[in-house]
């Protein structure tokens, strides 16, 4: 059923038409709190992309090679979150030892990622949509890039907005949500390009 | 336990300490499930159940949890209850379960529940934590239900799958699509914050 272009299509769909943040609302918490700061947004974006791509593949293996053969699908929530937490912890320790500069740039974001719902969400979508291994890799990577793209554009827009006059009640989360809504509208323009369920 | 404390604990998350529009937590599910009233109510029940019981359980075992791994323990307890919710929904409401998709599982990473566990359950007795969990769940639910009410009504002209508006009504289909969710929540926060600011002046 999967043609060789399918993973590529899934990748583009995950970045543009089915953007994990703008159409599935995942990762909003960290999005709202971090987007104020452009530099932090870049750091978090890179960290999310990396963790998302790797944990999706890891969770695919765990799900298809361990949970399914033993009929333990109902444990997937608990197992996925353990895999993600353990992996993030491991990456944090490795980065701390290997590169101090990288640790200073990304280190503080890694613990945040364990509770980023987008990471778990991508793994759960992968199970629901029944993706293969390669497709899962592209899907995880694409979702990460899509999230990165969204937070980066938002951080850029918020920089400009610092000088704007915003109604008092809308300051902070309110205006961010409205801009996210407009961004979601803009991204809906891509939806004619591809349709991936 | 003094009665005043219980009452205060119960009322706080409903108003000035509301998880959704004051603390801006748990936004993912707030946006995702509010396109239909039916889904919203089911989701709210799930969250209410999870916050209440995970708070209670964590409070019971709070003296035995080592500080270093407490996040992990919290996640495990929450995940256990979420699995129960997931299985119950799949068994009794398969249609709604299908529509909610991954969002039931995502209750685990809902920052509201984690936040309450960290901030409240680990420092307070079980009874009080249960009260706090229930009221946090209600505080979350009523915001979602209000948002879902307007989104479903304006977006489809229906409420709880019953046609409310007649033929003259043109559906605002944007309301049931993603951008509508963002706009609705922003407007809600705007109104509430505006009222609070006015009160202060």
């Amino acid at each position: 059923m999967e043609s060789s272009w399918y993973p590529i299509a899934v990748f583009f769909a995950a970045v543009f038409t089915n953007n994990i943040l703008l159409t599935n609302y995942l990762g909003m918490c960290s999005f709202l709190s971090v987007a104020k700061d452009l530099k932090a947004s870049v750091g978090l974006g890179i960290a999310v992309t990396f963790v998302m791509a790797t944990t999706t593949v890891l969770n695919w293996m765990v799900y298809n090679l361990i949970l399914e053969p033993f009929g333990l699908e109902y444990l997937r929530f608990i197992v996925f979150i353990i895999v993600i937490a353990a992996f993030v912890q491991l990456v944090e320790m490795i980065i701390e030892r290997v590169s101090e500069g990288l640790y200073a740039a990304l280190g503080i974001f890694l613990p945040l990622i364990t509770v980023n719902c987008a990471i778990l969400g991508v793994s759960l979508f992968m199970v629901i949509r029944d993706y293969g291994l390669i497709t899962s890799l592209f899907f995880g990577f694409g979702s990460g890039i899509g999230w990165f793209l969204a937070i980066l554009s938002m951080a850029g827009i918020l920089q400009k907005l610092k000088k704007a006059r915003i109604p008092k009640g809308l300051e902070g989360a309110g205006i961010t949500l409205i801009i996210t809504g407009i961004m979601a509208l803009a991204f809906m323009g891509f939806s004619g390009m591809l349709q991936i369920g | 336990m003094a009665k005043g404390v219980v009452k205060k604990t119960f009322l706080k998350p409903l108003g000035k300490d509301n998880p959704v529009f004051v603390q801006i937590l748990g936004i993912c599910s707030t946006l995702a499930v509010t396109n239909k009233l039916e889904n919203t109510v089911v989701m709210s029940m799930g969250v209410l159940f999870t916050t209440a019981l995970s708070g209670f359980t964590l409070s019971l075992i709070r003296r035995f949890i080592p500080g270093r791994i407490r996040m992990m323990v919290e996640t495990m307890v929450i995940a256990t209850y979420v699995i129960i919710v997931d299985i119950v929904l799949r068994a009794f409401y398969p249609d709604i379960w299908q529509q909610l998709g991954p969002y039931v599982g995502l209750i685990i990473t809902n920052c509201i529940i984690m936040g309450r566990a960290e901030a409240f359950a680990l420092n307070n007795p079980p009874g009080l934590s249960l009260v706090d969990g229930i009221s946090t769940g209600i505080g979350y639910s009523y915001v979602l239900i209000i948002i879902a009410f307007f989104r479903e009504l304006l977006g489809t002209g229906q409420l709880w799958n019953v046609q409310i508006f007649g033929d003259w009504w043109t559906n605002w289909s944007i309301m049931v699509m993603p951008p509508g969710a963002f706009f609705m929540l922003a407007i809600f926060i705007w109104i509430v914050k505006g009222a609070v600011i006015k009160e202060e002046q």
Side-chain angles (χ1 to χ4, degrees), chain B:
Chain B
M1 212 185 298
K3 216 175 164 202
V5 182
V6 177
K7 200 178 158 197
K8 228 171 109 194
T9 311
F10 186 75
L11 289 179
K12 233 174 147 191
L14 299 184
K16 72 177 201 305
D17 218 9
N18 188 281
V20 182
F21 61 78
V22 179
Q23 301 178 25
I24 323 284
L25 293 177
I27 302 294
C28 311
S29 53
T30 308
L31 296 165
V33 301
T34 49
N35 55 357
K36 272 179 86 182
L37 203 54
E38 202 181 4
N39 297 354
T40 311
V41 171
V42 171
M43 180 72 178
S44 301
M45 291 297 129
V47 172
L48 182 65
F49 173 83
T50 320
T51 32
L53 287 180
S54 63
F56 180 71
T57 315
L58 282 165
S59 177
L60 270 184
I61 57 170
R62 70 184 188 281
R63 292 187 210 290
F64 308 105
I65 303 174
R68 277 180 63 92
I69 57 159
R70 67 172 200 289
M71 298 280 264
M72 214 56 229
V73 176
E74 284 160 15
T75 315
M76 292 298 105
V77 171
I78 295 166
T80 311
Y81 287 114
V82 172
I83 290 175
I84 297 174
V85 172
D86 186 59
I87 292 174
V88 169
L89 282 187
R90 184 150 41 157
F92 293 103
Y93 304 98
D95 296 338
I96 294 177
W97 181 79
Q98 196 95 44
Q99 286 178 27
L100 289 176
Y103 295 104
V104 180
L106 288 170
I107 297 177
I108 300 174
T109 48
N110 190 320
C111 2
I112 295 176
I113 301 177
M114 198 69 156
R116 286 332 283 171
E118 277 279 292
F120 201 91
L122 290 183
N123 309 314
N124 287 287
L128 211 54
S129 300
L130 185 66
V131 172
D132 178 70
I134 291 173
S135 68
T136 306
I138 296 173
Y140 167 88
S141 307
Y142 85 83
V143 176
L144 260 74
I145 289 170
I146 292 172
I147 293 176
F149 176 85
F150 286 108
R151 280 187 72 192
E152 191 179 358
L153 188 65
L154 298 176
T156 61
Q158 300 178 334
L159 273 182
W160 206 278
N161 301 327
V162 178
Q163 195 71 35
I164 300 288
F165 292 146
D167 290 335
W168 52 273
W169 176 255
T170 312
N171 290 341
W172 302 9
S173 40
I174 195 77
M175 290 313 276
V176 285
M177 286 196 275
F182 292 114
F183 293 143
M184 232 9 251
L185 183 62
I187 292 168
F188 189 87
I189 292 175
W190 191 4
I191 293 172
V192 172
K193 267 198 172 170
V196 171
I197 290 170
K198 215 170 212 174
E199 209 171 275
E200 277 169 3
Q201 277 166 354

